Amino acid sequence: MTTHAVIIVGAGPVGLMLASELALLDIDVAIIERRASQDLQGSRAGGLHARTIEVLDQRGIADRFLARGQRHPAVHFHVPLDISDLPSRHNYVLALWQNEFERILAERVDELAVPIYRGIEARDLSQHDDGVEVTLSDGRTLRSEYLVGCDGGRSCTRKAAGIAFPGWEPTTSWLIAEAAMTEEPAWGIRHDAAGTHGIGQLDDGKRARVVLTERHLETAAQPTLREVSEALMSIYGTDYGIHDATWLSRFNDMTRQAETYRDRRVLLAGDAAHIHPPMGGQGLNIGVQDAVNLGWKLAQVIKRISSDGLLDTYHAERHPVAARVLQNTLAQMALRRPDDRSKALGNITAELLRMDEPRRYLAAMMSGLDVHYDLGEGHPLLGRRMPDIDLITANGPQRLFTLLHRARPLLLNLDEAGCLDGWKNRVRVVEAQCADTIEVPALGTVDAPAAVLVRPDGYVAWVGDHAQQGLADALTSWVGESIPSI
């Protein structure tokens, strides 16, 4: 029987990101993927938000994605929201189709020598006190200490683990087609009594991408070209001679969230843990951020640095983040309804979002820059992402994110040197100077602390003064028990 420390089901964006995080920390991880290659049919998700680009920057790989995408200065919540004044080096949306995003991450995973079992499905799993066994579609069995389901909204992992997936049933469905057209279509957005529709040109300049709101809810996942043609006729009065479709799909506004992200040795991430309407393009982004939250925690547990209880913080931190996304997408769906009452609400909302404070509040939420984990009372930075501040160190000027490339905890002393004693081999310590204040999205300017403990995912676990009160407790919680000096 083949064994690995961690098995990931699904080589989509979330599974690939999690695999790269674990491999970076020298964990034996493997991926099970039903696709025979990384090729993905259709364009799928189309943008990376600011916080996602930041976490890629924290690992030193953001430039790979920036080189292949196009930057746009706005996120979307009912109306476009300018984010170019948010305090981040990446205050923009990067237009990059999911298939390209996956290809870049797959290259990263290959560099890190992560094995991928391709063209195979996970059929069943069984948990034991010391591991998980997975039965594959080809009859083989794999064993691991932990298994993570990154296998989408219809997750077999979630179902096999018996994790409930409560939420809201769909009310609206959309057709998607990527196809050739004999006639030039009416490019752009169109609104009618059914909802919003759009036709855009694909990068090859020859085909069109069509997204149509259906007049009646349909639940069959795979539509036909005839259905798309009839929908075009109903909305535009012609189907523009649509033919040779390379991708046909249907999606709806079903909204669900896993009751728990962990059942003993099985965990869920990405769409396996939460699904929602695609408004605002948040799904891929929070899934990648799930992976970055989970990866270092799994690594510490497998290395016996931290207890198994550290994995409970994954659900505690990420479940509320996705719950909030579910709420904002439900709100956006309500604002999209074509009836007069919803239009009136939408008009008022648009007026409010022309004001700076509401705009910045929602822009920070949509871009993921306002995430705040509940780590107790204290400095405003506690539980928030550490900004990529400019530092003056003994080695010269450095950005803070460059200090996180190896996914190690960071103790940053900005005023007075700190003592680590039993944690010095696990935590990177940097003495530095920075500006007296730090700007935080949705909060504004805050005083720079004397010292901060930054977790491998970039979030602040402790903020200290000269006395460094509470540092030992924070290190024990997030980095494991101290190792006595010999």
Side-chain angles (χ1 to χ4, degrees):
M1 184 184 298
T2 304
T3 62
H4 299 280
V6 178
I7 291 174
I8 297 168
V9 183
V14 181
L16 291 169
M17 190 69 203
L18 179 58
S20 68
E21 289 287 284
L22 289 166
L24 185 64
L25 294 166
D26 299 318
I27 299 299
D28 173 20
V29 56
I31 304 175
I32 301 169
E33 171 54 45
R34 61 182 177 81
R35 288 177 289 168
S37 73
Q38 202 61 47
D39 294 341
L40 186 67
Q41 190 178 31
S43 302
R44 314 272 172 152
L48 302 183
H49 284 306
R51 182 55 190 156
T52 303
I53 304 168
E54 284 192 345
V55 300
L56 297 170
D57 198 358
Q58 288 172 186
R59 298 298 179 257
I61 59 174
D63 287 349
R64 304 185 187 194
F65 301 87
L66 297 179
R68 302 194 200 179
Q70 186 175 359
R71 304 180 194 195
H72 296 280
V75 295
H76 199 280
F77 183 99
H78 183 58
V79 294
L81 305 176
D82 180 22
I83 62 171
S84 60
D85 60 348
L86 290 185
S88 169
R89 294 184 196 274
H90 304 291
N91 48 8
Y92 49 84
V93 174
L94 186 71
L96 187 73
W97 291 117
Q98 181 177 330
N99 47 17
E100 189 71 9
F101 181 75
E102 285 191 19
R103 275 195 289 269
I104 300 168
L105 269 185
E107 292 168 5
R108 164 79 163 173
V109 164
D110 186 57
E111 290 168 8
L112 295 168
V114 175
I116 302 180
Y117 297 88
R118 291 198 177 276
I120 296 171
E121 295 184 36
R123 287 285 170 84
D124 196 12
L125 64 86
S126 58
Q127 295 200 59
H128 308 282
D129 290 342
D130 60 348
V132 184
E133 289 184 6
V134 188
T135 302
L136 304 181
S137 56
D138 65 359
R140 285 184 293 171
T141 300
L142 301 180
R143 184 179 178 88
S144 63
E145 291 185 50
Y146 291 90
L147 181 140
V148 186
C150 302
D151 48 345
R154 297 182 178 87
S155 172
C156 294
T157 305
R158 186 187 64 241
K159 294 171 185 176
I163 297 174
F165 202 42
W168 293 266
E169 293 298 327
T171 63
T172 304
S173 58
W174 292 265
L175 290 169
I176 302 180
E178 292 183 0
M181 289 181 167
T182 304
E183 307 166 26
E184 184 169 355
W187 304 111
I189 302 297
R190 177 171 294 197
H191 305 276
D192 65 11
T196 302
H197 320 281
I199 305 177
Q201 195 168 51
L202 289 172
D203 292 341
D204 62 12
K206 299 176 181 178
R207 294 173 301 135
R209 186 172 196 264
V210 179
V211 181
L212 307 172
T213 306
E214 298 190 90
R215 297 193 182 281
H216 304 286
L217 174 67
E218 298 289 346
T219 56
Q222 186 64 32
T224 64
L225 184 58
R226 182 180 179 84
E227 287 179 279
V228 177
S229 173
E230 291 173 349
L232 282 167
M233 290 288 293
S234 173
I235 297 162
Y236 294 88
T238 174
D239 68 358
Y240 300 109
I242 189 168
H243 63 281
D244 292 340
T246 54
W247 184 45
L248 296 171
S249 188
R250 174 181 276 122
F251 67 95
N252 59 47
D253 63 337
M254 182 183 288
T255 304
R256 296 185 181 278
Q257 186 174 23
E259 196 168 67
T260 178
Y261 284 13
R262 181 190 180 197
D263 176 54
R264 293 168 291 165
R265 291 180 174 270
V266 174
L267 300 106
L268 304 174
D271 287 355
H274 41 74
I275 59 171
H276 49 82
M279 285 70 207
Q282 300 166 89
L284 180 151
N285 289 273
I286 64 168
V288 168
Q289 292 165 46
D290 287 346
V292 175
N293 182 285
L294 177 59
W296 64 276
K297 295 175 181 178
L298 257 179
Q300 288 188 183
V301 170
I302 288 167
K303 290 179 177 179
R304 310 296 187 261
I305 292 171
S306 296
S307 72
D308 181 77
L310 181 63
L311 297 179
D312 292 332
T313 68
Y314 169 62
H315 170 91
E317 293 179 350
R318 295 305 298 172
H319 194 276
V321 172
R324 194 174 186 216
V325 170
L326 265 59
Q327 288 295 307
N328 84 51
T329 55
L330 286 170
Q332 291 182 76
M333 278 299 301
L335 290 168
R336 288 170 66 97
R337 292 187 186 126
D339 62 274
D340 290 340
R341 289 177 175 84
S342 296
K343 288 179 181 178
L345 176 61
N347 291 338
I348 296 296
T349 301
E351 288 181 23
L352 290 172
L353 293 178
R354 283 194 285 270
M355 302 176 188
D356 276 348
E357 190 169 347
R359 173 186 62 82
R360 288 192 184 116
Y361 174 85
L362 276 177
M365 179 179 71
M366 297 297 292
S367 59
L369 294 174
D370 74 334
V371 170
H372 182 204
Y373 299 139
D374 184 8
L375 302 186
E377 300 294 326
H379 191 280
L381 281 175
L382 185 63
R384 296 183 184 274
R385 111 270 191 243
M386 185 65 189
D388 186 25
I389 55 178
D390 290 309
L391 301 169
I392 303 299
T393 72
N395 296 321
Q398 282 189 288
R399 293 194 294 121
L400 183 132
F401 283 3
T402 64
L403 304 176
L404 296 172
H405 285 185
R406 298 299 303 170
R408 291 184 61 195
L410 168 69
L411 179 61
L412 182 64
N413 291 311
L414 298 171
D415 194 356
E416 183 174 295
C419 178
L420 279 174
D421 296 329
W423 292 277
K424 63 184 178 181
N425 293 326
R426 296 191 217 140
V427 180
R428 182 174 185 178
V429 182
V430 175
E431 317 291 337
Q433 295 178 336
C434 74
D436 293 334
T437 59
I438 297 173
E439 194 171 0
V440 181
L443 278 185
T445 301
V446 301
D447 292 336
V452 289
L453 176 63
V454 184
R455 306 187 323 189
D457 58 358
Y459 287 84
V460 176
W462 170 84
V463 181
D465 54 19
H466 297 288
Q468 299 206 355
Q469 182 177 359
L471 176 57
D473 290 340
L475 287 165
T476 301
S477 296
W478 300 112
V479 187
E481 296 287 343
S482 65
I483 300 173
S485 301
I486 298 175

